[in-house]
Every structure is written in C-alpha cells, then in structure tokens.
C-alpha cells in the first residue's frame, strides 16, 4: 500500500478506509491506554494525529516501537481514517501499527567511531530562535516556520509563472555567467578558472592577468540582472520575463540584502512607464491574492506567530490603489517632515540623495499609508539604461515601496534613443564597445520598452511577515556567509 500525503488524507472524508502515512514525529503524548502521535510530512502546515489504542490487539506489535519513539523520528503508520473526536481536526488515523524507519535520539549516543556518535536531535519540541535555526539550516525545514516559508516560496513561484504565462509573456532563460555589468554598479562576483592562489603568489605581478587565457577568453562575472538580455528578447517577442538567480557583491549586511537572490524581471516592448507601473501593481496584487487564497493555513501561522495583522495587510493592499509620487515631490514631503521634527531622520533628505530606508519607511507608512510608487529619480542615482526625461535631469524610473520593507520593485522605461543612450554611457565612462549588442536594439527597429525587477525574497518577506531575508531562502548567501 502506498503512503498518502497528509495534505491529501486531510481532505478525505473519514469512512474508516485503510490509510498509510509516512513522515516525521512532531509530538507523542501518552494518556492511559492511548498514545497520540502527530505525524508531519511537510505537504501542508498541519500534521495528522494518529491514535494508538493499546488495549486493542491490533496495536500489540507496535508497543515497543511506540515506547521508544522520539520527536524527529521517521515513521510509517498504518490504520484507518476516522472522524476525530478531538477539536481542531476533522479526521485522524485510528492506528493499527507503526514502523520506525529512522531514530532521532533525545540523548547523545556515543560510539567508538567518532562520526557514529550522534548528538541528541536538535529540534526537540520547544521554541528555537531564528538565529539558532540559521546555524542548522539543513534541519530547519522540519520546523513549522521554515516548512511554511518553503511552501509559500514554492506556491508563489508557480503563481509568478502563471501570471505571466496567462498574459502572453514568454519565459526567457537569461545567462547566469555574463561579461557585462547590467546595472553598471560594479558589484559583481568574478568567474574564473584561473588559479587565484598562484596568481596571488605573484607570477603575473609584472605582466598583469591575461584574461584572454581565462576560460571564456575574457573577464566574466555572475549576473546581477537578466534585464539587458531580456530586452533583446522583448524587442523580438514583445512580452517576456526572466525568473532566475542573480548575484550581488554589495557589502550590505542588512536584513534585506542577499549576495544571491532570485529576481523576476518582466520586459515589455511598446510600453512606457505608465504601463510598467500598471503591470507592477496588478502583478503584486495577483500574487498577494494567490497567497491569501492558496496558502491560507501557512499565512494563518505567520499571522499568529510571526507578524500580527499580515493577512489584513495583504487583503488591504489587494483592495486598494497604490499611491504615486514623483521623486521631487517625495523629497519635498521628506524635507517638510524633517523641518517639522528635527530628530526624525538620521540622513537629511535633499534633492539628489538616494532614498534611505528611513525615508522609504516614512513615505509608505506616513505619507501614503500603504504601497507607493516613486517615479522620475535624478539620473545620477539610477542605472545608465533608464530613459532621460525632457528636463535632462531625471529619468523614467519607478520604485515600488511597501511599508515595513521599503523597495520591493525597481524598474524603468529604457532609453530607446541611440544617441542619448551612447552619450549617457560615455558620460559614465562605460566602454561602449562592450555593449554593442545592446546598442543594436536601438539601431534596428527601436521601440519604447519598459520593465522591472522584483526581488523574490523581498516578496516572500512581505507575504510572510518574516523579518530577516536570510530566513526566506533555504541557504542564504550574504557577506561572510556561505554555509551548506
Ligand atoms: O533595483 P534593482 O537593482 O533593479 C534591477 O536589477 C533592474 N535590472 C530590474 C529591471 O528593471 N529589470 O533590483 C530589483 C529588485 C529590487 O527592487 C529588490 O527587490 C531586489 O531586486 N534586490 C535585492 N534583493 C535581495 N538582495 C539584494 N542584494 C537585492 N538587490 C536588489
Ligand atoms: Mg533598485
């Protein structure tokens, strides 16, 4: 008999049918002749209760195994699905037998061979700090919190593909190894097959490193964004998107930055900034709505244990319109607020400055009271590819800011004028030759086009209410951290 997923068992009606479930023990409780074992297999938030009635002959073969059963052990239980007399669950398994697959000792087991010494299972039934769980990232998916995060990530990935696929966007697999800096920010990880240790010993100190002899015959990096390559496909297939890993060697050790994160980047031809903003708003609402509808029990957990009110917030966002404000007006608002309250900001806002988290927080929580789209930033603080406005000072950029988190989306209309783009790149000291293929898009059949990037982990932070981005990706990579 094949075991069924707990998720499927819980949706069945209890007709005393035979079932087999496999999973890990979450709790075991003894009460007179009854032993209750809660089995979780991660297929959904809830586990299933399996009740052994020791007075029934059928359970006799399992008495010894039951007595030795610990939290975390892997087991198989056979029994019948019945209506549960207990509150909080519709069904349970009236268990006949138990097979212990793998033990999880509650005490240290010593042995002669060091590797065979087994420390007690670290996830004993109690609350563990998220910091502690980060150190055992390979076991943390067995906890309520990380199981729920993993399911939300999975469902949201599916929803993202669904959203774009249903709207005529083609999924483009942009490269992970690139020769160019898509954001022009210089925060890239180099990719090389050179022996760095040998180079460091100084063999090439005089001559410099000859990258023509490196694997790709030139200097290469891990991509910071698939945008530029996505643009090449948008100017052929009209609507495209990428969804892949991106890498940034920024030295920002914050709760919102990772060195390796996943990004969703749609790109639309024949579209301006207004279309881009409309897409961003509609897309986010669709994703939040999908989370509310399809991840209800996981969200209920986040709402009660992680961030109170998260469900209400998401529901509110789905039903409200995003506020819009230009960067110039936003700065004016911030300056006004700073003038009225001297200690309000650590960084004094002024036209030309990059918005700090505290500014983003003020704009979303005080000025807008919800998500806000800030547009038309000074060109100096944005990437080279953004379309220059007629004022010659600002670009057609837009950032979507949300309360609690700040920037969740960054996007823009792209400069489609060959001359303006070349001039901007030269002003920034970029090597135009390296971007010949990108400039070709403006030489042959150029069109207005726009797109944005959504950081997937920031999206998951927002949906789950988790506080640290390291806790919404299985194995976080950040400054000084690349374990597992
Ligand atoms: O604003 P960014 O840098 O924009 C781009 O990369 C554009 N190429 C996107 C585009 O127009 N196609 O990054 C986009 C988003 C940010 O808004 C943020 O959500 C996320 O990516 N992000 C990060 N997430 C986690 N860790 C980091 N270090 C991140 N840097 C950016
Ligand atoms: Mg940005």
């Amino acid at each position: 008999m094949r075991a069924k997923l707990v998720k499927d068992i819980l949706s069945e009606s209890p007709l005393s049918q035979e079932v087999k479930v496999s999973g890990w023990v979450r709790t075991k409780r003894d009460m007179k002749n009854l032993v209750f074992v809660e089995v979780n297999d991660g297929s959904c938030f809830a586990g299933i209760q399996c009740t052994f009635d020791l007075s029934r002959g059928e359970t006799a073969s399992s008495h010894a195994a039951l007595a030795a059963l610990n939290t975390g052990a892997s087991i198989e239980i056979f029994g019948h699905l019945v209506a549960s007399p207990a509150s909080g669950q519709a069904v349970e398994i009236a268990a006949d037998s138990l097979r212990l697959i793998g033990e999880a000792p509650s005490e240290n087991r010593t042995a002669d061979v060091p590797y065979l010494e087994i420390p007690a299972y670290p996830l004993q039934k109690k609350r563990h700090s998220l910091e502690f769980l980060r150190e055992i990232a390979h076991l943390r998916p067995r906890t309520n919190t990380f199981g729920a995060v993993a399911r939300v990530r999975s469902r949201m990935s599916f929803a993202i593909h669904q959203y774009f696929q249903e709207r005529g966007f083609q999924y483009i697999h942009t490269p992970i190894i690139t020769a160019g800096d898509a954001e022009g920010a210089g925060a890239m990880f180099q990719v090389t097959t050179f022996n760095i240790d040998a180079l460091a010993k100084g063999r090439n100190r005089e001559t410099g490193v000859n990258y023509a002899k490196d694997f790709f015959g030139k200097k290469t990096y891990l991509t910071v964004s698939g945008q530029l390559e996505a643009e090449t496909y948008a100017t052929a297939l009209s609507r495209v998107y990428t969804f892949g890993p991106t890498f940034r060697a920024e030295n920002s050790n914050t709760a919102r930055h990772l060195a390796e994160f996943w990004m969703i980047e749609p790109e639309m031809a024949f579209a301006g900034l207004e279309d881009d903003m409309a897409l961003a708003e509609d897309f986010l609402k669709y994703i939040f709505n999908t989370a509310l509808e399809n991840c209800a029990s996981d969200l209920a957990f986040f709402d009660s244990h992680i961030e109170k009110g998260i469900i209400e917030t998401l529901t509110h966002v789905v039903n409200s319109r995003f506020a819009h404000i230009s960067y110039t007006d936003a700065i004016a608002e911030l300056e006004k607020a700073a003038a009225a309250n001297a200690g309000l900001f650590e960084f004094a806002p002024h036209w030309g400055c990059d918005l700090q988290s505290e500014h983003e927080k003020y704009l979303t929580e005080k000025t807008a009271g919800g998500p806000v789209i800030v547009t038309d930033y000074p060109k100096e603080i944005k990437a080279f590819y953004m379309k220059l406005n007629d004022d010659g000072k600002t670009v057609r950029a837009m950032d979507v800011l949300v309360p609690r988190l700040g920037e969740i989306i960054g996007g823009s209309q792209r400069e489609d004028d060959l001359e303006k783009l070349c001039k901007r790149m030269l002003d920034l000291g970029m090597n135009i030759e390296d971007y010949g293929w990108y400039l070709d898009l403006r030489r042959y059949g150029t069109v207005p086009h726009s797109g944005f990037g959504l950081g997937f982990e920031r999206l998951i932070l927002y949906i789950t209410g988790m506080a640290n981005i390291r806790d919404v990706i299985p194995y976080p990579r950040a400054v000084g951290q690349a374990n597992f």
Side-chain angles (χ1 to χ4, degrees):
M1 187 181 178
R2 246 178 88 86
K4 280 189 179 154
L5 290 175
V6 170
K7 160 174 158 298
D8 297 328
I9 296 177
L10 290 176
S11 66
E12 285 183 29
S13 35
L15 303 168
S16 252
Q17 65 272 42
E18 278 199 324
V19 282
K20 174 172 145 187
V21 64
S22 9
W24 293 266
V25 174
R26 274 296 172 84
T27 55
K28 187 188 80 171
R29 287 179 300 126
D30 294 86
M31 225 179 78
K32 291 185 191 150
N33 261 341
L34 299 178
V35 181
F36 303 101
V37 180
E38 196 202 325
V39 181
N40 187 291
D41 69 356
S43 61
C44 59
F45 187 84
I48 186 147
Q49 175 163 294
C50 303
T51 306
F52 289 82
D53 181 346
L54 303 184
S55 64
R56 282 173 61 223
E58 289 88 340
T59 64
S61 64
S62 306
H63 290 188
L66 269 174
L69 208 58
N70 284 317
T71 299
S74 52
I75 54 170
E76 244 171 27
I77 289 178
F78 303 85
H80 293 82
L81 192 67
V82 297
S84 177
S87 67
Q89 59 202 17
V91 296
E92 64 175 56
I93 295 178
D96 294 331
S97 66
L98 161 86
R99 190 166 81 86
L100 177 64
I101 300 170
E103 280 184 87
S106 58
E107 286 163 28
N108 292 2
R109 302 276 169 87
T110 52
D112 295 342
V113 185
Y115 190 75
L116 296 179
E117 269 180 26
I118 305 179
Y121 185 52
L123 292 175
Q124 297 302 328
K125 187 80 192 167
K126 65 164 187 138
R127 267 213 161 184
H128 302 281
S129 75
L130 295 172
E131 290 75 20
F132 166 72
L133 292 174
R134 237 169 264 153
E135 288 166 21
I136 50 165
H138 56 305
L139 295 175
R140 67 180 184 171
R142 298 185 190 189
T143 63
N144 279 336
T145 306
F146 290 91
V149 166
R151 281 183 299 274
V152 170
R153 267 188 84 101
S154 170
R155 190 60 186 80
M156 294 303 97
S157 304
F158 181 47
I160 285 160
H161 284 295
Q162 217 164 14
Y163 179 85
F164 288 119
Q165 294 287 335
E166 285 170 1
R167 286 161 184 77
F169 287 75
Q170 311 288 336
Y171 179 28
I172 307 298
H173 302 87
T174 52
I176 288 171
I177 299 174
T178 68
D181 183 352
E183 289 299 301
M188 300 195 292
F189 290 101
Q190 197 179 339
V191 175
T192 179
T193 51
F194 278 156
N195 181 336
I196 306 286
D197 292 335
L199 292 181
K201 283 197 191 112
R203 253 203 267 135
N204 298 57
R205 197 160 284 164
E206 287 78 36
T207 51
V209 178
N210 181 5
Y211 283 104
K213 292 200 170 148
D214 200 355
F215 189 92
F216 296 106
K218 57 165 77 165
K219 234 175 155 171
T220 50
Y221 310 88
L222 292 177
T223 189
V224 294
S225 155
Q227 179 195 320
L228 305 195
E229 290 90 350
E231 282 183 56
T232 67
Y233 272 73
T235 51
L237 277 62
S238 295
R239 291 184 193 178
V240 303
Y241 70 105
T242 70
F243 184 2
T246 49
F247 307 86
R248 299 210 178 163
E250 303 158 330
N251 202 357
S252 5
N253 207 348
T254 78
R256 304 183 311 149
H257 289 87
L258 287 168
E260 175 179 307
F261 64 99
W262 288 67
M263 187 152 53
I264 298 100
E265 296 183 275
E267 191 72 32
M268 297 180 287
F270 311 102
L273 194 67
E274 296 298 328
D275 305 298
D276 204 31
M277 292 190 286
L279 180 73
E281 180 169 344
D282 187 58
F283 170 58
L284 282 178
K285 287 178 174 174
Y286 174 92
I287 297 298
F288 296 156
N289 200 40
T290 308
L292 290 165
E293 282 180 0
N294 294 277
C295 305
S297 42
D298 288 322
L299 287 197
F301 167 77
F302 289 119
D303 200 317
S304 63
H305 285 75
I306 302 290
E307 171 83 15
K308 299 246 177 313
I310 193 80
I311 292 179
E312 198 189 318
T313 303
L314 291 173
T315 310
H316 176 73
V317 169
V318 168
N319 296 313
S320 58
R321 281 195 53 77
F322 289 11
H324 288 230
I325 190 170
S326 71
Y327 169 89
T328 302
D329 289 349
I331 290 293
E333 285 285 333
L334 294 169
E335 282 175 336
K336 208 166 67 187
N341 178 352
L344 185 60
F345 300 124
E346 191 183 335
F347 298 93
H350 60 90
W351 202 94
C353 79
D354 220 340
L355 293 182
Q356 305 292 324
S357 328
E358 55 179 349
H359 303 149
E360 295 178 343
K361 200 171 157 64
Y362 186 88
L363 290 172
T364 52
E365 291 167 16
K366 298 282 187 285
T367 311
V372 56
I373 309 186
V374 182
T375 61
D376 303 291
Y377 286 74
K379 64 179 180 200
E380 286 77 15
I381 58 171
K382 287 293 179 188
F384 70 93
Y385 51 70
M386 297 190 181
K387 187 168 181 62
L388 192 63
N389 277 315
D390 291 339
D391 62 12
K393 293 191 304 195
T394 58
V395 287
R396 299 249 73 194
M398 65 103 176
D399 277 4
V400 181
L401 314 180
V402 293
R404 201 164 53 77
L405 204 67
E407 179 189 341
I408 192 167
I409 279 180
S412 66
Q413 181 165 348
R414 321 307 186 185
E415 184 57 81
D416 53 339
D417 182 293
L418 179 65
E419 200 178 322
K420 284 188 188 152
L421 183 55
C422 286
K423 185 159 178 315
R424 182 83 189 118
M425 293 172 79
L426 289 172
D427 283 350
L428 288 168
M430 293 171 69
N431 187 358
I432 281 203
E433 255 78 289
D434 291 347
Y435 293 85
W437 57 274
Y438 185 65
L439 294 169
D440 271 356
L441 307 182
R442 281 77 181 166
R443 284 171 158 160
Y444 310 121
T446 190
V447 320
H449 61 288
S450 302
F452 63 78
L454 166 69
F456 187 55
E457 285 71 24
R458 297 226 180 140
L459 176 79
I460 304 299
L461 275 181
Y462 191 67
I463 292 174
T464 58
M466 296 288 286
N468 193 317
I469 200 162
R470 291 169 176 78
D471 296 330
V472 295
I473 187 164
Y475 296 101
R477 273 81 181 90
V479 187
Q481 187 182 20
N483 302 324
F484 305 96

